[in-house]
């Protein structure tokens, strides 16, 4: 250790315990001040939170496997739990939480370590053995299904017990050697050694851990009675097996339909085989139709019918289709049903299309999804993409839907049960199952109950679940303990929640995304930030419930996700921001946005949707600019949108920052011209007025305008901005302008910091602003930074305190700091769920 990584001092007294989180991103420090400080390792060890609640000095700290919760004990023998990100105390029982380490002397799993007639001073330290895959080859305990725990006693002895240790005065191996009390004890990471540290004897002992067959070499002291170790059972979790993926891609613009030729003999025959899944309720008696798309055109809508038993469960039906002109290379097909009949649902495995009389190979279109309004995502029509040439895995059954057994455990705490409608969505490597309503009796989800459900889904390798309720009923609040998912050929997966799903409890969320606790081999969830822009036209807002589906590469999708927070969302001209945690979808290819047509005014005019992957520079913009209303436009309330990338047109988001100076605002009409460079040539856009329904350009205001369907100018180089000098107070002091190109995801910064006023400064009312380059930014002594603060959407999240920020950096190899800068403007900042911007 030759380099100082970070230095900070937030405590007045000694630090008693230090623990890094399992993911290595946080450090918890417990002090004699009765506090635990949590630091962000990735951000130069800045303090994230302070955990308060203990009435005495901190003794021991442990992190949960999730790196989100920590437990601690103190000198007053209190065992408390905290949320690391906020420092807020967790009131719910954490008995079933999986802990990365266990060094606390208190807790359910170590309640048996205390000998008869002992008190809190008799055991000074505890350490549970490790289960680290990196050391498995040399771990002497790896072959045993149980774990061990070692204790440091005030009587000078080291004791070895089984873990978990839950019976009173549990049997133990007792080892003597210290001539004074033992202060601390720890297993080595590979469990080959145990190290104990004495008090007044100033001795460090190293104990070798031997398998059971060699333990006779380490006999306990003669004063101790002979005891035996009884192996404890331990739940083993297995990873699920990979499954084949279902592909549902957005349909491109349809080619022109063929005009039938007046010929007696058809020239091209296509053989279409549909394979209905062999699962319960998969068959249908609805009218099924299909449209096949190729490089030369499409077939038009064709009804599939030739037998009374068509589309029965597990049945393969073959149909013949004749066309006057060949379709060329088959690319995709559109298939669905009319939802009529006694069984208006259908589960399709795949479709096989053969061009008879040609040398073209058979083309498979994998599906593995429901066509039903009450199953999956509710779609009854789907677009299926052709599988890669030679990919016949669908016919082998690896993409067949899997039947899952879902076991939902409601916590045994007061008021834990719910009367609301509970649904679950399975998220896997092949996409999403869509929401499935969990209901099989009138009394599901009672306090302490275990409810078991069965459902079919083809999601590939199961990576996560999303579970929650619709907040209906007299008692909608629900405390979920855990969910167990299993399937034939797949080991059980455990998804631990141990939290409230209620609008008036914890963070106010009624849905949660959970990963399996085994974690190994499961990719981490990605966080997506979704910006929804409602148009600024009359009646554009909606009171309906809005949902979104994100589509990624290889047919992966998020399933329908409700966009909801504590704000009054989707009002006219508003931008609403939502955060979603999902498996990695890769490059987004489309989004589907819609609503349920509920409320007094359900009609909605959507401007656009922008999706940002938090933690990376990836951004996708999806322009809509249409009504989603049954009484407007084409009557559609759900639309699929394609990204703007590689388009000749784009949407520019122009944001003006009016200075926070006396008289800085203006009543004049403001306009802007954009200039750029595209393919080595200069490009310029038209002069556009910046106007919407808001009272814009007030002192300290941040105003955003959407310039829709504009010519793509390439890399922006400059803007000209000015006003018409009309109005009672036309003078304007502009701080800077930002322009975001939604097609490329790039945001350009144009500094100004000058008056646009005939009576102020140089008298100019329009200015040419050049984009700040990286070279200019690097050479500048001072730069203007834009700071956006997202206040959480939980109860009491807002603050009236004075907030400051200190920006740290590295310039020419030396650490630099902005110093404390107050975040303050003329607005009411830092309210719950607010987005505040400072410059």
């Amino acid at each position: 250790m030759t380099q100082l990584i970070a230095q900070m001092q937030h405590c007045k007294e000694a630090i008693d315990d230090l623990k890094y989180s399992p993911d290595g991103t946080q450090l918890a420090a417990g002090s004699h001040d009765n506090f635990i400080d949590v630091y962000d390792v990735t951000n130069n060890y800045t303090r994230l939170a302070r955990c308060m609640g203990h009435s005495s000095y901190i003794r021991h700290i442990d992190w949960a496997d999730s790196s989100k919760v920590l437990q601690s004990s103190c000198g007053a023998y209190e065992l408390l739990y905290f949320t690391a990100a906020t420092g807020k105390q967790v009131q719910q029982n954490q008995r079933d939480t999986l802990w990365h380490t266990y060094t606390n002397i208190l807790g359910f799993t170590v309640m048996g370590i205390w000998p008869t007639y002992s008190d809190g001073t008799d055991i000074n330290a505890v350490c549970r053995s490790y289960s680290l895959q990196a050391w498995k080859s040399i771990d002497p305990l790896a072959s045993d299904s149980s774990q061990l725990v070692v204790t440091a006693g005030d009587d000078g002895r080291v004791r070895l017990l089984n873990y978990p240790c839950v019976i009173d005065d549990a049997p133990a191996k007792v080892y003597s050697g210290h001539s004074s009390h033992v202060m601390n004890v720890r297993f080595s990471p590979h469990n080959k050694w145990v190290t104990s540290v004495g008090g007044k004897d100033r001795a460090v002992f190293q104990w070798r851990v031997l398998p059971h067959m060699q333990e006779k070499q380490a006999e306990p002291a003669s004063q101790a009675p002979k005891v035996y170790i009884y192996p404890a059972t331990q739940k083993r979790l297995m990873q699920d097996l990979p499954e084949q993926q279902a592909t549902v891609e957005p349909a491109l613009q349809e080619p022109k339909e063929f005009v039938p030729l007046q010929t007696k003999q058809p020239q091209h025959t296509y053989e279409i085989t549909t394979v209905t899944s062999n699962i319960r309720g998969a068959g249908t008696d609805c009218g099924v139709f299909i449209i096949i798309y190729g490089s030369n055109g499409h077939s038009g809508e064709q009804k599939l019918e030739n037998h009374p038993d068509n589309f029965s469960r597990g049945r393969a039906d073959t149909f013949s289709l004749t066309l006057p002109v060949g379709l060329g290379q088959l690319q995709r097909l559109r298939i669905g049903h009319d939802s009529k009949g006694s069984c208006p649902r259908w589960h399709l495995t795949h479709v096989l299309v053969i061009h008879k009389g040609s040398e073209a190979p058979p083309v498979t279109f994998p599906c593995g999804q429901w066509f039903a309004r009450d199953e999956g995502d509710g779609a009854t029509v789907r677009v299926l993409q052709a599988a890669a040439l030679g990919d016949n895995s669908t016919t082998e059954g690896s993409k067949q839907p899997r039947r899952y057994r879902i076991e939902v455990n409601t916590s045994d705490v007061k008021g834990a049960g719910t009367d609301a409608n509970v649904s679950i969505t399975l998220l896997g490597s092949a996409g999403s199952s869509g929401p499935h309503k969990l209901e099989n009796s009138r009394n599901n989800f009672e306090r302490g109950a275990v409810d078991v459900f069965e459902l079919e889904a083809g999601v590939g390798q199961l990576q996560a679940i999303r579970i929650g309720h619709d907040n209906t009923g007299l008692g909608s609040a629900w405390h979920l303990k855990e969910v167990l998912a299993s399937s034939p050929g797949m080991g059980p997966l455990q998804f631990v929640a141990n939290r409230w799903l209620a609008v008036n409890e914890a963070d106010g969320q009624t849905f949660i995304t959970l990963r399996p606790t085994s974690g190994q081999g499961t990719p981490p969830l990605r966080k997506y930030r979704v910006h929804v822009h409602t148009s600024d036209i009359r009646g554009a807002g909606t009171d309906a419930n809005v949902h979104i589906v994100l589509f990624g590469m290889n047919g992966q999708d998020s399933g329908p996700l409700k966009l909801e927070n504590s704000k009054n969302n989707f009002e006219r001209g508003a931008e609403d921001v939502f955060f979603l945690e999902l498996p990695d979808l890769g490059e987004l290819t489309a989004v589907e946005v819609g609503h349920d047509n509920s409320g007094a005014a359900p009609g909605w005019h959507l401007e656009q949707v922008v999706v940002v992957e938090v933690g990376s520079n990836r951004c996708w913009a999806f322009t809509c600019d249409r009504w989603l209303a049954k009484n407007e436009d084409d009557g559609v309330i759900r639309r699929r949108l394609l990204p703007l990338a590689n388009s000749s047109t784009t949407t520019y988001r122009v944001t003006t920052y009016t200075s926070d100076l006396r008289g800085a605002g203006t009543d004049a009409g403001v306009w802007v011209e954009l200039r750029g460079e595209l393919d080595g040539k200069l490009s310029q856009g038209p002069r556009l007025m910046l106007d919407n329904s808001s009272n814009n350009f007030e002192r300290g205001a941040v105003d955003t305008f959407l310039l829709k369907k504009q010519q793509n100018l390439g890399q922006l180089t400059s803007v000209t901005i000015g006003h018409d000098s009309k109005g009672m107070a036309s003078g304007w002091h502009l701080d800077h302008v930002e322009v975001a190109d939604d097609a490329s995801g790039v945001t350009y910064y144009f500094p100004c910091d000058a008056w646009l006023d005939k009576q102020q400064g140089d008298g100019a009312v329009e200015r040419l602003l050049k984009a700040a380059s990286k070279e200019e930014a690097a050479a500048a002594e001072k730069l203007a930074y834009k700071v956006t603060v997202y206040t959480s959407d939980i109860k009491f999240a807002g603050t009236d305190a004075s907030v400051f920020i200190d920006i740290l950096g590295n310039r020419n190899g030396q650490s630099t700091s902005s110093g404390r800068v107050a975040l303050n403007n003329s607005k009411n900042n830092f309210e719950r769920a607010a987005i505040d911007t400072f410059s």
Side-chain angles (χ1 to χ4, degrees):
M1 296 183 181
T2 60
Q3 182 181 1
L4 179 65
I5 302 299
Q7 185 173 350
M8 72 290 289
Q9 183 174 349
H10 296 110
C11 302
K12 296 181 180 179
E13 298 191 44
I15 301 297
D16 296 307
D17 197 8
L18 289 169
K19 286 285 195 323
Y20 279 96
S21 62
D23 60 10
T25 62
Q26 301 170 88
L27 173 66
S31 71
H32 236 63
D33 292 341
N34 307 352
F35 302 131
I36 301 174
D37 291 313
V38 182
Y39 298 92
D40 185 355
V41 177
T42 63
N43 191 20
N44 200 29
Y45 285 83
T46 56
R47 187 167 65 169
L48 288 175
R50 167 162 281 189
C51 306
M52 299 183 290
H54 280 290
S55 55
S56 184
Y57 60 91
I58 307 301
R59 296 186 64 182
H60 307 286
I61 303 173
D62 291 304
W63 284 91
D65 279 346
S66 64
S67 298
K68 295 182 179 180
V69 178
L70 52 85
Q71 68 172 354
S72 57
S73 57
C74 67
Y77 305 106
E78 300 168 334
L79 179 64
L80 301 182
Y81 307 99
F82 299 95
T83 301
T86 62
K88 183 178 179 181
Q89 187 174 340
V90 178
Q91 302 292 341
Q92 291 79 20
N93 191 339
Q94 301 294 309
R95 187 180 75 176
D96 297 320
T97 300
L98 299 178
W99 300 101
H100 184 64
T101 61
Y102 208 105
T103 58
N104 274 285
I105 61 176
L106 305 175
F108 174 77
T109 54
V110 294
M111 59 186 293
I113 65 174
W114 300 90
T116 306
Y117 307 118
S118 61
D119 59 29
T121 64
D122 288 329
I123 295 181
N124 298 317
V126 165
C127 184
R128 184 195 65 195
S129 60
Y130 297 95
S131 297
L132 303 177
Q133 291 296 321
W135 302 101
K136 187 174 181 180
S137 60
I138 60 174
D139 187 348
L141 304 179
S143 60
D144 199 343
S145 61
S146 62
Q147 289 183 284
L148 303 176
V149 64
V150 64
T151 66
D154 226 36
D155 58 357
R157 296 177 180 178
V158 175
R159 290 174 170 81
L160 186 67
L161 307 95
N162 278 313
Y163 180 90
C165 186
V166 295
I167 61 174
D168 292 337
D169 196 10
K173 292 264 188 182
V174 184
Y175 302 91
S176 299
H178 286 280
S179 59
S180 178
H181 47 276
V182 186
M183 293 301 298
N184 211 337
V185 64
R186 288 290 184 270
F187 273 96
S188 63
H190 45 50
N191 296 327
K192 294 180 68 175
W193 308 97
V194 170
T195 302
S196 59
V197 180
K200 291 185 177 181
D201 65 358
R202 301 183 180 181
V204 178
F205 276 66
Q206 191 172 11
W207 309 84
R208 184 181 179 188
V209 180
L210 300 173
H212 283 295
M213 64 186 67
Q214 300 179 15
E215 283 188 353
K216 60 183 180 180
Q217 301 174 9
E219 292 292 339
S222 57
Q223 297 87 342
K226 186 175 182 180
V227 296
Y228 301 91
I229 295 179
Y230 300 95
T233 59
Q234 183 183 19
K235 184 181 291 184
R236 287 285 183 176
L237 301 179
M238 299 176 62
Q239 294 297 320
D240 53 326
L241 301 176
E243 293 182 11
Q244 194 170 348
Q245 302 174 350
T247 303
V248 181
E249 293 281 355
L252 302 179
Q253 185 177 358
E254 297 183 358
K256 186 177 180 180
E257 185 173 350
F258 286 117
V259 178
L261 300 178
Q262 300 300 322
T263 57
K264 297 182 179 180
Q265 297 295 330
Q267 298 177 352
H268 296 270
T269 301
Y270 291 87
E271 185 178 276
I272 304 168
T273 301
T274 62
V275 180
T276 302
S277 303
N278 190 18
I279 60 176
R280 184 179 179 183
T284 185
D285 56 358
C286 296
V288 175
F289 60 86
I290 192 173
I291 305 174
I292 305 174
Y293 298 85
S295 57
N296 295 336
H298 70 78
S299 65
E301 185 173 306
Q302 305 290 332
K303 189 174 182 179
L304 301 181
E305 183 179 21
N306 60 15
H307 194 276
D309 294 331
N310 284 146
F311 316 115
S312 299
R313 171 178 174 176
R315 178 184 171 94
D317 295 288
T318 301
F319 308 90
S320 181
L321 172 64
T322 58
L323 295 174
V325 180
L327 298 176
Q329 182 179 355
L330 301 186
Q331 299 171 341
R332 65 191 187 280
L333 60 81
R334 187 171 186 264
I335 190 169
H337 62 74
D338 56 12
S339 298
K340 298 178 181 179
S342 60
C343 300
R345 52 169 63 182
W346 184 36
H347 199 286
L348 174 65
T349 298
H350 69 276
V351 179
L352 183 69
V353 179
I354 301 175
H355 188 182
K356 305 294 287 185
S358 74
E359 297 180 356
V363 180
T364 300
F365 298 85
C367 181
Q369 296 200 56
W370 282 101
F371 292 69
R373 292 177 178 174
D374 58 349
E375 291 283 356
D377 59 3
T380 58
V381 180
R382 297 188 183 277
V383 177
L384 308 182
Q385 299 290 335
L389 187 62
D391 181 8
N392 296 320
S393 55
T394 301
T395 59
E396 301 300 309
S398 59
K399 286 189 178 179
Q400 291 282 351
R402 184 186 290 273
R403 189 168 188 83
Y404 291 90
R405 183 180 188 270
I406 306 297
E407 182 177 309
V408 181
N409 291 263
T410 301
S411 302
D412 189 14
V413 298
K414 185 177 180 180
T418 182
D419 298 322
N421 298 310
V422 175
S423 63
I424 188 172
T425 300
L426 307 186
L427 305 170
S429 59
S432 163
S433 68
H436 290 263
K437 187 176 179 180
L438 299 180
E439 184 179 25
N440 56 20
S441 76
R442 293 185 177 180
N443 294 318
N444 289 134
F445 316 113
E446 296 294 312
R447 171 179 174 176
V450 178
D451 297 290
V452 179
F453 308 89
E454 290 191 353
L455 58 90
E456 293 92 8
V459 298
Q461 180 184 3
L462 185 58
Q463 298 176 345
I465 64 170
R466 182 170 175 82
I467 189 169
H469 61 80
D470 60 1
N471 198 42
T472 59
L474 295 175
S476 60
W478 186 32
H479 196 284
L480 174 63
K481 180 180 178 182
E482 65 177 6
V483 178
L484 299 177
S486 60
S487 181
M490 183 194 82
L493 294 178
Q494 182 185 33
F495 302 85
V496 177
N498 272 335
R499 57 158 289 165
W500 283 101
L501 297 174
V503 295
N504 57 351
E505 294 281 356
D507 57 4
Q509 300 298 313
T510 58
F511 274 84
I512 185 174
T513 302
L514 303 173
R515 294 180 63 217
T517 53
S518 56
Q520 186 176 1
T522 303
L525 297 178
R526 298 294 180 94
K527 179 172 283 189
Y528 295 90
R529 189 173 71 241
V530 180
H531 299 253
V532 180
H533 298 264
T534 300
S535 302
D536 189 17
I537 62 176
R538 184 177 180 181
T542 182
D543 299 322
N545 297 309
V546 175
H547 68 267
I548 190 171
V549 183
L550 308 184
F551 295 91
M553 299 296 290
N554 301 321
Q556 297 186 23
D557 66 84
S558 66
L561 302 171
K562 189 176 180 180
L563 298 180
E564 185 179 33
N565 54 33
S566 63
K567 298 173 66 177
N568 186 15
N569 299 304
F570 314 116
E571 295 296 296
R572 172 179 174 175
E575 176 187 6
D576 300 292
V577 180
F578 308 90
F579 291 89
L580 306 174
E581 276 193 314
L582 301 167
D584 186 10
L585 299 175
E587 188 73 15
L588 296 188
T589 59
V591 299
E592 187 174 279
V593 185
H595 61 78
D596 62 0
N597 202 46
S598 63
W604 185 33
H605 197 284
L606 173 63
E607 190 74 59
Q608 72 169 4
V609 177
V610 179
V611 181
V612 180
E613 184 180 7
V614 178
S616 72
N617 294 324
R618 295 201 293 181
C619 174
W620 302 269
F622 305 87
T623 296
C624 181
D625 196 24
R626 294 188 67 177
W627 282 100
L628 286 80
K630 289 192 172 181
N631 58 348
E632 296 281 358
D633 203 340
D634 56 1
V636 173
I637 61 173
R638 182 171 63 182
R639 296 191 185 278
R640 182 169 294 195
L641 311 176
L642 302 180
L644 281 173
N646 302 321
S647 174
S648 60
T649 61
T650 185
T651 296
Y652 291 106
R653 284 185 291 129
V654 178
T655 304
T656 60
Y657 291 77
T658 302
S659 302
D660 194 13
L661 303 174
R662 182 178 180 181
T666 182
D667 298 323
V670 177
W671 52 264
V672 68
E673 293 176 356
L674 307 181
R675 296 179 180 86
E677 182 175 336
L678 181 64
D679 298 330
K681 297 180 180 180
L682 297 179
S683 54
Q684 180 175 341
R687 178 172 293 190
L688 301 169
M689 297 301 296
L690 301 181
D691 190 24
N692 55 32
S693 61
S694 301
N695 186 15
N696 300 305
F697 314 115
E698 294 296 302
R699 171 181 173 176
V702 180
D703 300 294
T704 300
F705 308 87
L706 290 179
L707 308 182
K708 302 173 290 184
K709 299 180 181 178
Q710 299 297 313
Q711 175 189 354
N712 194 333
L713 303 176
Q715 182 178 352
L716 297 186
T717 57
S718 64
V719 301
T720 300
I721 191 167
H723 60 74
D724 57 10
S725 298
K726 296 180 180 180
M728 295 183 62
S730 61
W732 185 32
H733 195 283
L734 174 64
D735 187 82
H736 69 278
V737 177
E738 285 181 1
V739 181
D741 183 351
D742 285 340
S744 63
V746 177
T747 300
Y748 300 87
Y749 175 79
F750 302 89
C752 180
D753 193 22
W755 283 98
L756 286 80
D757 188 359
K758 292 181 179 180
Q759 309 299 325
Q760 297 277 359
D762 58 5
V765 295
E766 64 178 67
R767 296 193 181 275
L768 175 66
L769 309 179
K770 293 185 177 181
S773 65
K774 293 182 179 179
E775 293 75 13
E776 293 171 339
E781 291 297 326
K782 289 188 176 181
L783 285 176
Y785 287 87
K786 173 187 174 184
V787 178
T788 304
V789 181
Y790 295 83
T791 302
S792 301
D793 187 16
I794 61 176
K795 194 175 181 180
F796 304 125
T799 181
D800 297 323
S802 298
V803 178
F804 65 86
I805 189 172
D806 188 354
I807 302 176
L808 306 176
N810 189 296
R811 184 181 177 89
N812 298 327
Q814 296 184 352
S815 298
T816 58
S817 170
S818 66
R820 290 192 176 186
V821 179
L823 298 180
N824 189 23
N825 54 32
S826 56
K827 293 184 177 181
N828 185 17
N829 299 306
F830 313 115
E831 294 298 308
R832 172 177 174 175
I835 303 174
D836 299 294
T837 303
F838 308 88
S839 59

